């Protein structure tokens, strides 16, 4: 193990770090010493956890109760010489296994993606010479050179730098590049504020620096995240868990019935082979062969629908999981906000202005107290904007997909605000050419540019920077007519407090006059005597569509948690703007420092009632997801950086950003947003609820047939009469109806109130009491109809083949009429629209044609022991089917008000209160159907 691991390098001085690693700053490591250290510490690569081999991974897909039932069904079907049916069932099993294998294999590539992050080169000092080596060859003690555009190759303690800025958003979630400094920091400094450190995989955006390698490979912060990913478990989705439980229960139920059937035949002294065939027929009748296909196709249709709404699903069960979601943990930057810094407020000459518009689109006007103003009539305002335009190194260009920024986001916001006032950068640069500049340095906290005003033949300097740095250089301010006036420090600070209270980042601006014929700018010349121009307050504005999406989620009973690496004040301000709570309501907010001191036992309760988490570390995101899951929540977690990957994988559904997301986050996630927009998550939740709805509709439609067929066979065995339907005919009913009829339910549109229902109780079984009652009711109706027709035919002297054909026809027609009821569990087909499902009527027509072939084609008569029937049999089966439709329609009418309990739009959604549920000793009441 690395002896340096977990040292607080940021707490050390540069000299202490060099002494600890036994290296000279002027020489670096010798080649021989570097080789020794590589033997001790290993290569600068992330090791991957050895997982299952592809073969074992594939075979594990068959380890499921439902798969066992299907395999048994196929074997029994083959035993009965129905090789075609057996081949179909085997094909279904193999297809599902392949889909599961591909999904799991892709999911486990997340750690491999982390390893690829380190496949870069590094400039180092070895044997007194600067060399470029593969980053994998770095060892603790190496001295690394950084410059703009470099990816940091290892964890570094910074020792020298010039204007160094590093984008650490992938690791910490910080929305803007971090300004780096040298010098020691307190040991308690959190990761996002360790300005004297540079971490592996982060990106240098500006300046240069020299750093001492202190951690490599698995011992870097990136390596720690790698271990968190490896330790995070892939949780079962509500669908897979319920299907597994349902399949296991069904398996034992089928085996029990088959045994009872065999014993009943044996008790009635039937031949053993006849009793065995009857038991086999009952088992085949009770197995819903079409269920796995229906689940896969329904989820696949959900995937296609979500793709149209900017959500790409990487794992099929994630479709349904979204519909079960009770909490969405969302990043702020780029997801809830536009990831485009925008000036929203300006203070100049004692006047406050609001700036409309957002993002990098230079559109929007200026107003004062809500009244529009023309900027060109306000000289002080224009001068403040001009300072932000000229004292600026960013550039704005029109791209194929709108305006694109080249440079720092903060400087980009200043360009946009100036453009909104009609100040063109090229024109102003020509009228005031830049002569010299003092770049921003963290030690001074300002940038200054020297310009020649050609119209007045004068030289002036513009400054922008932190409020403290600019104000200490000013002894006056400019009034509305650009005349010098005493500087009112108190008024400036009052305005700053008003801006920062809204989560704005505030920059101050100043101007100074210099003697003519200047060729350079010196620090001493701008240390004092400047005139204060004003303030510009900017913020990464919320997405308007995210505000609407959050309101929709609140209506749907889904809680939103903002988990960000940004500052607490900014996060809370954005949370208020996007409506995480009602107007005027209190937002529970917590910083990473305070979160670190929360004991595990208290964390679930705190996670439940807190809406905003700021400055959080990667492992804290993981803890929060686990804490919410401990409260029984189904958690969706969004993220885009390497730091988000462990939580993305631990969440019930991880949601990665497609535009700004790292490859690591995409590999760890179950869903990727192509537009990085929170509104797309809300749309995906809506689609997910629709998918689960359609799955329940299919299950509620198919099970009555299995029950009816099983009861028909069971009654025949106990009555000692011939079987009304044969095993081959059972397979015909189950497979054809599932394909032609049942799968049309997968194309049902979402019902209009789907986002006004409470989230389903994660513990609620697939078959609720209400659905179970309806299943049994329809099963009994089908049993009565089929058995009645079978006996009717025999009593009228018809052959047993014709009687069995009539019974089969009863199941087909009965299921067809019941399909119309199952399009909605509460509403009538008229309220849905007769033609709102484009596949419904083609499916019914296809089923009737297939059934006609079963009845009238000689080849089908030979294969399935069927026989032609007349119009009387058809009339009886249609009448029975219509009766089933009317009975279920009446049952829906009676139970309609109890079936759904929409959440009033005005009400505050509440999360599941599992403690209260246990105290009452009852089941949580949510979306009961």
């Amino acid at each position: 193990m690395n002896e340096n691991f977990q040292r607080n390098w940021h707490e050390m001085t540069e000299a202490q770090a060099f002494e600890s690693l036994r290296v000279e700053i002027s020489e670096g490591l010798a080649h021989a010493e570097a080789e020794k250290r590589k033997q001790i510490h290993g290569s600068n690569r992330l090791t991957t956890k050895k997982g299952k081999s592809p073969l074992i991974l594939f075979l594990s897909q068959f380890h499921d109760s439902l798969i066992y039932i299907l395999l048994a069904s196929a074997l029994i079907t083959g035993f009965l010489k129905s090789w075609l049916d057996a081949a179909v069932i085997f094909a279904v099993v193999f297809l599902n296994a392949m889909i599961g294998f591909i999904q799991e294999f892709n999911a486990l590539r997340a750690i491999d993606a982390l390893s690829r992050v380190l496949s870069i080169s590094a400039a180092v000092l070895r044997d007194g010479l600067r060399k470029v080596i593969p980053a994998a060859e770095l060892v603790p003690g190496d001295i690394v050179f950084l410059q703009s555009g470099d990816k940091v190759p290892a964890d570094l303690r910074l020792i020298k730098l010039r204007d160094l800025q590093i984008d650490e958003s992938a690791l910490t979630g910080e929305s803007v590049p971090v300004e780096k400094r040298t010098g020691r920091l307190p040991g308690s400094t959190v990761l996002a504020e360790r300005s004297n450190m540079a971490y592996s995989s982060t990106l240098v955006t500006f300046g240069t620096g020299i750093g001492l390698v202190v951690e490599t490979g698995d011992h870097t912060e990136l390596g720690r995240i790698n271990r968190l990913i490896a330790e995070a478990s892939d949780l079962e989705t509500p669908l897979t868990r319920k299907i597994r439980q349902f399949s296991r229960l069904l398996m034992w139920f089928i085996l029990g019935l088959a045994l009872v059937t065999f014993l009943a035949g044996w008790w009635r002294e039937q031949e053993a082979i006849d009793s065995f065939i009857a038991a086999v027929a009952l088992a085949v009748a009770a197995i819903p062969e079409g269920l796995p296909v229906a689940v896969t196709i329904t989820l696949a249709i959900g995937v296609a629908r979500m793709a149209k709404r900017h959500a790409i699903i990487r794992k099929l069960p994630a479709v349904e999981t979204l519909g079960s979601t009770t909490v969405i943990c969302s990043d702020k930057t780029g997801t809830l906000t536009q990831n485009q810094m925008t000036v929203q407020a300006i203070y100049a000459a004692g006047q406050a202005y609001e700036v409309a518009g957002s993002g990098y689109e230079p559109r929007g006007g200026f107003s004062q107290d809500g009244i529009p103003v023309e900027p060109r009539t306000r000289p002080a305002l224009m001068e403040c904007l001009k300072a932000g335009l000229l004292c600026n190194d960013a550039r704005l260009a029109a791209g194929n997909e709108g305006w694109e920024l080249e440079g720092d986001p903060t400087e980009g916001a200043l360009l946009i605000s100036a453009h909104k006032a009609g100040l063109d950068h090229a024109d102003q640069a020509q009228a005031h050419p830049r002569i010299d500049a003092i770049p921003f340095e963290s030690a001074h906290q300002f940038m200054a540019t020297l310009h020649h005003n050609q119209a007045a033949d004068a030289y002036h300097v513009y400054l922008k920077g932190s409020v403290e740095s600019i104000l200490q250089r000013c002894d006056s301010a400019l009034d509305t007519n650009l005349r010098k006036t005493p500087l009112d420090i108190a008024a400036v600070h009052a305005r700053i407090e008003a801006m920062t209270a809204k989560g704005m980042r505030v920059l101050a601006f100043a101007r100074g006059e210099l003697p003519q014929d200047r060729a350079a700018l010196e620090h001493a010349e701008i240390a004092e005597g400047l005139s204060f121009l004003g303030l510009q307050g900017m913020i990464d504005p919320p997405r308007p569509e995210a505000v609407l999406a959050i309101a929709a989620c609140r209506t749907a009973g889904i809680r939103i948690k903002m988990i960000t690496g940004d500052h607490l004040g900014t996060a809370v301000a954005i949370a208020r703007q996007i409506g995480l709570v009602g107007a005027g309501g209190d937002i529970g907010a917590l910083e990473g420092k305070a979160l670190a001191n929360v004991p595990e036992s208290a964390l679930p309760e705190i996670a439940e009632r807190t809406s905003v988490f700021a400055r959080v570390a990667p492992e804290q995101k993981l803890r929060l997801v686990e804490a919410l899951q401990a409260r029984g929540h189904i958690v969706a977690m969004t993220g885009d950086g390497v730091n988000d990957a462990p939580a993305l994988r631990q969440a019930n559904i991880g949601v990665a950003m497609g535009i700004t997301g790292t490859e690591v986050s995409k590999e760890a996630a179950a869903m990727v947003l192509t537009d990085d927009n929170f509104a797309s998550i809300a749309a995906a939740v809506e689609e997910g609820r629709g998918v689960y709805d359609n799955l329940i509709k299919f299950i509620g439609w198919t099970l009555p047939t299995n029950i009816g067929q099983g009861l028909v066979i069971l009654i025949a065995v106990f009555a000692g009469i011939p079987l009304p339907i044969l095993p081959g005919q059972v397979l015909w009913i189950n497979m054809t109806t599932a394909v032609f009829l049942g799968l049309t339910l997968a194309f049902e549109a979402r019902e209009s109130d789907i986002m006004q229902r409470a989230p389903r109780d994660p513990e609620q079984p697939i078959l609720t009491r209400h659905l179970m009652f309806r299943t049994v009711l329809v099963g009994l109706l089908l049993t009565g109809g089929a058995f009645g027709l079978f006996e009717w035919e025999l009593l009228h002297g018809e052959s047993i083949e014709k009687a069995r054909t009539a019974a089969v026809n009863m199941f087909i027609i009965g299921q067809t009429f019941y399909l119309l009821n199952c399009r909605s569990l509460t509403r009538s087909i008229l309220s849905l629209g007769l033609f709102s499902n484009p596949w419904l009527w083609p499916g019914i027509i296809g089923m009737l044609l297939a059934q006609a072939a079963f009845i009238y084609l000689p080849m089908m008569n030979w294969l399935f022991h069927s026989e032609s029937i007349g119009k009387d049999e058809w009339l009886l089966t249609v009448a029975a089917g219509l009766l089933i439709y009317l009975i279920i329609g009446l049952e829906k009418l009676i139970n309609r008000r109890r079936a759904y309990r929409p959440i009033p739009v005005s009400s505050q959604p509440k999360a599941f209160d599992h403690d209260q549920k246990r105290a009452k000793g009852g089941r949580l009441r949510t979306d009961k159907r």
Side-chain angles (χ1 to χ4, degrees):
M1 181 174 176
N2 191 330
E3 64 180 355
N4 303 311
F5 183 53
Q6 290 185 337
R7 289 191 182 183
N8 286 339
W9 294 101
H10 61 279
E11 192 177 10
M12 297 183 183
T13 63
E14 289 89 341
Q16 289 172 332
F18 276 102
E19 182 181 355
S20 176
L21 291 169
R22 303 185 301 279
V23 61
E24 294 293 333
I25 188 172
S26 59
E27 294 293 323
L29 291 177
H31 178 73
E33 177 62 21
E35 288 299 317
K36 288 182 183 179
R37 296 191 182 192
K38 185 179 177 182
Q39 295 297 320
I40 297 172
H41 303 289
S43 297
N44 183 29
R45 290 192 178 96
L46 301 179
T47 57
T48 58
K49 179 181 177 182
K50 187 176 180 181
K52 300 176 183 176
S53 68
L55 177 61
I56 297 299
L57 195 62
F58 176 72
L59 293 177
S60 67
Q61 306 303 317
F62 295 92
H63 183 54
D64 182 84
S65 299
L66 185 59
I67 299 300
Y68 295 153
I69 296 173
L70 288 173
L71 289 174
S73 174
L75 290 173
I76 293 169
T77 307
F79 176 80
L80 296 172
K81 309 300 183 184
S82 295
W83 303 114
L84 180 60
D85 293 324
V88 169
I89 298 174
F90 272 123
V92 169
V93 173
F94 183 78
L95 176 64
N96 279 276
M98 284 300 300
I99 292 173
F101 168 75
I102 293 171
Q103 293 166 2
E104 190 169 351
F105 183 78
N106 286 337
L108 293 177
R109 290 168 54 196
I111 297 176
D112 292 335
L114 271 171
S115 298
R116 292 195 295 272
V117 171
L118 287 178
S119 300
I120 55 177
S121 299
V124 301
L125 182 68
R126 283 193 178 173
D127 296 313
L129 301 174
R130 180 168 175 160
K131 302 178 180 180
V132 177
I133 63 173
E137 301 296 318
L138 289 176
V139 295
D142 267 324
I143 297 174
V144 174
F145 299 92
L146 299 175
Q147 61 183 10
S148 181
D150 284 349
K151 182 168 283 187
V152 180
D155 284 3
L156 311 177
R157 172 63 164 85
L158 297 173
I159 53 178
K160 288 185 179 181
L161 52 85
R162 179 175 176 82
D163 308 325
L164 184 64
Q165 296 182 25
I166 298 181
D167 179 0
E168 296 183 341
S169 59
L171 190 65
T172 66
E174 178 67 64
S175 57
V176 294
V178 178
E179 301 163 8
K180 294 298 181 178
R181 306 177 185 180
T182 57
R184 61 183 299 179
L185 294 170
S188 60
T189 306
V190 297
L191 182 70
E193 297 175 359
R194 294 175 188 171
S195 57
N196 61 2
M197 298 289 295
Y199 292 104
S200 177
S201 85
T202 58
L203 183 66
V204 179
T205 60
F206 190 80
T208 60
I210 300 175
L212 176 66
V213 175
V214 293
E215 305 289 0
T216 59
D218 290 336
H219 304 298
T220 61
E221 288 294 325
L222 184 66
R224 186 164 59 87
I225 294 174
N226 180 46
R227 288 193 302 278
L228 292 175
I229 293 179
E231 293 166 2
S233 58
D234 282 320
L235 300 183
E236 289 183 304
T237 71
L239 175 66
T240 57
R241 182 171 62 248
K242 291 172 185 176
I243 288 291
R244 175 177 55 81
Q245 295 168 349
F246 175 71
S247 302
R248 187 175 299 165
L249 178 64
L250 186 60
M251 179 182 68
W252 290 112
F253 179 74
I254 291 171
L255 293 177
L257 279 182
L259 178 61
V260 169
T261 304
F262 179 80
L263 292 177
W266 174 76
W267 177 70
R268 296 188 61 85
E269 299 181 351
Q270 290 181 347
E271 292 290 334
I273 186 66
D274 293 334
S275 298
F276 179 72
I277 290 176
V280 166
L282 186 140
V284 173
I287 295 170
E289 289 89 353
L291 181 58
V293 178
V295 170
T296 300
I297 292 179
T298 304
L299 293 177
I301 291 171
V303 167
R305 287 177 173 175
M306 289 183 184
K308 294 178 181 179
R309 303 182 76 175
H310 308 291
I312 304 300
I313 299 297
R314 298 183 63 252
K315 304 174 186 178
L316 280 181
V319 178
E320 181 274 333
T321 310
L322 277 165
S324 309
T325 300
T326 60
V327 173
I328 299 175
C329 297
S330 177
D331 190 17
K332 176 183 70 67
T333 305
T335 308
L336 295 171
T337 65
Q338 300 180 32
N339 199 20
Q340 296 180 341
M341 294 295 287
T342 305
V343 173
Q344 292 190 333
I346 298 178
Y347 177 76
Q351 303 292 316
Y353 301 91
E354 300 88 38
V355 186
S358 62
Y360 295 149
E361 187 75 18
R363 294 180 182 176
F366 294 75
S367 61
Q368 191 171 16
D369 296 326
I371 301 174
V373 299
E374 172 54 52
R376 295 185 182 276
T377 64
R378 309 296 175 95
L381 172 61
M382 293 295 287
E383 192 67 14
C384 182
L385 291 169
K386 187 187 296 183
L389 181 72
L390 294 175
C391 189
N392 199 314
D393 289 327
R395 292 294 179 268
L396 191 66
N400 295 330
E401 299 181 0
W403 292 87
E404 297 177 355
L405 175 69
E406 299 176 2
D408 183 79
T410 300
E411 292 193 321
L414 300 176
L415 285 182
I416 300 300
S417 64
H419 273 271
K420 290 177 181 178
L423 292 174
D424 182 76
H425 187 273
D427 292 343
Q428 293 298 320
Q430 184 176 1
H432 305 82
R434 182 188 294 188
I435 298 172
D436 194 17
I438 297 177
F440 180 90
E441 294 181 5
S442 56
H444 301 107
Q445 293 292 303
F446 73 86
M447 174 183 178
T449 53
L450 175 64
H451 298 268
H452 178 209
N453 185 341
Q454 294 185 335
D457 192 24
Y459 290 82
H460 52 251
V461 60
Y462 285 116
L463 274 78
K464 78 167 187 294
S466 68
V467 174
E468 295 79 7
S469 176
I470 298 301
L471 287 180
Q472 70 181 6
R473 289 170 167 78
C474 296
D475 58 9
S476 65
L478 297 185
D479 64 11
T480 55
N481 295 314
L482 302 184
R483 294 177 302 209
K484 288 187 178 182
T485 186
L487 176 60
D488 189 347
I489 296 291
V492 173
H493 280 290
R495 179 53 52 182
I496 292 170
E497 290 179 6
M499 289 181 175
T500 55
K502 297 179 179 179
M504 295 185 187
R505 182 181 183 186
V506 181
L507 290 182
F509 299 85
R511 191 182 79 177
E513 308 297 332
L514 297 178
Q516 295 185 0
D517 299 329
R518 302 291 301 171
L521 183 63
E522 301 295 337
H523 276 275
E525 297 174 301
I526 53 175
E528 58 184 5
L530 303 180
S531 297
F532 178 72
L533 293 178
L535 308 169
Q536 293 197 47
M538 63 193 69
I539 197 169
D540 183 8
R543 292 178 180 265
E545 61 272 27
V547 178
L548 298 176
I550 287 174
C553 287
R554 285 166 53 80
T555 300
I558 302 170
R559 286 193 170 187
I560 311 299
K561 308 285 184 182
M562 180 193 292
I563 303 179
T564 178
D566 217 334
H567 294 280
L568 182 63
T570 302
V572 169
I574 292 295
R576 293 193 183 280
Q577 292 182 43
I578 61 179
L580 278 188
V581 295
D586 181 45
I587 296 178
L590 200 64
E591 276 192 306
K593 287 181 180 179
L595 187 62
N597 297 322
V598 175
E600 292 297 326
S601 59
L603 187 58
E605 174 65 24
I606 290 177
E608 180 82 50
R609 57 183 172 83
T610 304
S611 299
V612 177
F613 299 90
R615 308 299 275 174
V616 294
E619 65 273 13
Q620 290 176 331
K621 293 185 178 183
L622 187 60
R623 285 183 67 204
L624 287 171
V625 171
E626 291 173 336
L628 289 167
Q629 289 170 337
R631 297 278 293 184
H633 285 292
I634 302 299
V635 181
M637 171 73 187
T638 73
D640 57 2
V642 174
N643 64 316
D644 297 319
L648 289 175
R649 189 171 181 189
Q650 175 65 32
N652 299 88
I653 175 166
V655 183
M657 302 298 109
I659 299 174
T660 60
T662 61
E663 185 66 20
V664 177
S665 64
K666 295 176 186 177
E667 290 289 345
M671 184 175 84
V672 179
L673 300 182
T674 59
D675 59 354
D676 290 11
N677 196 334
F678 183 86
S680 297
I681 304 176
V685 168
E686 186 177 16
E687 292 291 350
R689 288 189 172 192
V691 165
Y692 191 86
D693 244 17
N694 291 345
L695 283 174
I696 294 299
K697 291 171 185 176
F698 177 86
I699 293 172
W701 169 83
T702 192
L703 288 185
T705 304
N706 300 112
I707 292 175
Q709 291 173 143
L711 286 175
V712 164
I713 294 171
L714 196 62
I715 291 171
V717 170
F718 274 91
I721 62 176
L723 295 179
I725 50 176
L726 299 174
Q729 294 170 344
V730 167
L731 284 172
W732 167 262
I733 296 170
N734 290 351
M735 298 305 294
T736 56
T737 56
V739 172
F740 287 106
L741 301 179
L743 290 182
T744 64
L745 293 173
F747 295 91
E748 280 295 329
R750 302 178 307 278
E751 296 188 36
S752 58
D753 66 340
I754 202 165
M755 288 298 280
Q756 294 178 6
R757 309 173 193 167
R760 294 186 313 276
D761 180 356
E763 302 301 321
Q764 185 180 28
I766 289 179
L767 286 179
T768 61
R769 291 181 180 179
H770 175 245
L771 193 58
M772 191 177 298
F773 168 78
R774 184 179 294 178
T775 299
V776 173
L777 174 61
V778 177
L780 291 173
L781 292 172
L782 289 173
T783 301
F787 210 92
L789 276 172
F790 177 74
E791 291 296 325
W792 174 274
E793 293 295 305
L794 292 180
L795 287 174
H796 285 75
E798 302 292 350
S799 66
I800 193 169
E801 287 78 10
K802 188 173 183 179
R804 283 172 172 160
T805 303
V808 170
N809 208 42
M810 176 63 234
F811 277 106
I812 297 294
I813 299 303
Q815 278 190 280
T816 302
F817 275 98
Y818 183 48
L819 178 73
L820 301 179
N821 288 116
C822 288
R823 292 187 60 200
S824 173
L825 297 179
T826 58
R827 300 164 63 190
S828 70
I829 188 174
L830 296 178
S831 66
L832 296 174
L834 290 174
F835 302 100
S836 58
N837 184 338
W839 292 96
L840 177 68
W841 297 110
I844 291 176
I845 293 171
M847 182 69 256
L848 293 176
L849 291 175
Q851 183 62 10
F854 173 87
I855 295 172
Y856 298 112
L857 290 182
M859 177 62 71
M860 300 293 283
N861 296 156
W862 176 72
L863 285 173
F864 291 99
H865 306 284
S866 59
E867 187 177 308
S868 298
I869 60 175
K871 64 178 182 179
D872 292 340
E873 287 81 8
W874 276 104
L875 288 173
L876 287 172
T877 53
V878 170
L882 183 59
L883 181 63
I884 291 174
Y885 174 81
L886 293 175
I887 290 174
I888 300 304
L890 180 61
E891 184 265 346
K892 286 202 294 186
L893 182 63
I894 294 173
N895 291 286
R896 185 165 298 163
R897 292 188 177 182
R898 292 186 295 171
Y900 286 107
R901 295 179 180 271
I903 301 177
V905 175
S906 60
S907 67
Q908 173 72 22
K910 296 182 180 180
F912 294 130
D913 190 344
H914 293 270
D915 294 332
Q916 183 179 5
K917 170 185 165 181
R918 285 191 291 268
K920 293 181 178 179
R923 179 166 296 280
L924 197 66
R925 301 192 63 165
T926 54
D927 181 13
K928 296 195 174 186
R929 290 177 284 189

